[in-house]
Amino acid sequence: MQREVVVGSEEQHTVGVAYSRWSNALTVSVDGRSVQRDVERFWISKVRRVSVRVGQTEIHEVTVEKIRPTLWAKFKDPIFRISVDGSEIYLG
């Protein structure tokens, strides 16, 4: 499962989010380069949050939240909430 959003107005970057439900790995990439990878071994928390800073001159704080379904979590896709500078831009 992969999602991409474009961040910035003058200095644009593509932030990609990839998730594998079989390995439970969440990878965040900026402009095609992986910047953060998070693997959760045990499913204790329902929400997993990863934050990255994007940009050189126009700096943005991008927060990715993965919300785990409560029933049949291994077989259902999670919900992603992507926020830029505190404003939610994607939910799906």
Side-chain angles (χ1 to χ4, degrees), residues 6-13 58 60:
V6 177
V7 177
S9 57
E10 293 177 21
E11 181 186 354
Q12 292 190 340
H13 296 280
E58 185 181 352
H60 297 283

Side-chain angles (χ1 to χ4, degrees), residues 32-47:
R33 258 189 20 224
S34 177
V35 293
Q36 188 158 5
R37 181 179 161 100
D38 184 31
V39 178
E40 188 175 39
R41 299 288 181 218
F42 303 104
W43 291 5
I44 297 172
S45 62
K46 184 177 176 175
V47 177

Side-chain angles (χ1 to χ4, degrees), residues 10 17 22 29 43-45 48 61 63 69 74 83 88 92:
E10 293 177 21
V17 178
W22 302 111
S29 62
W43 291 5
I44 297 172
S45 62
R48 213 157 115 197
E61 182 76 26
T63 304
K74 194 68 169 172
S83 304
E88 184 175 299

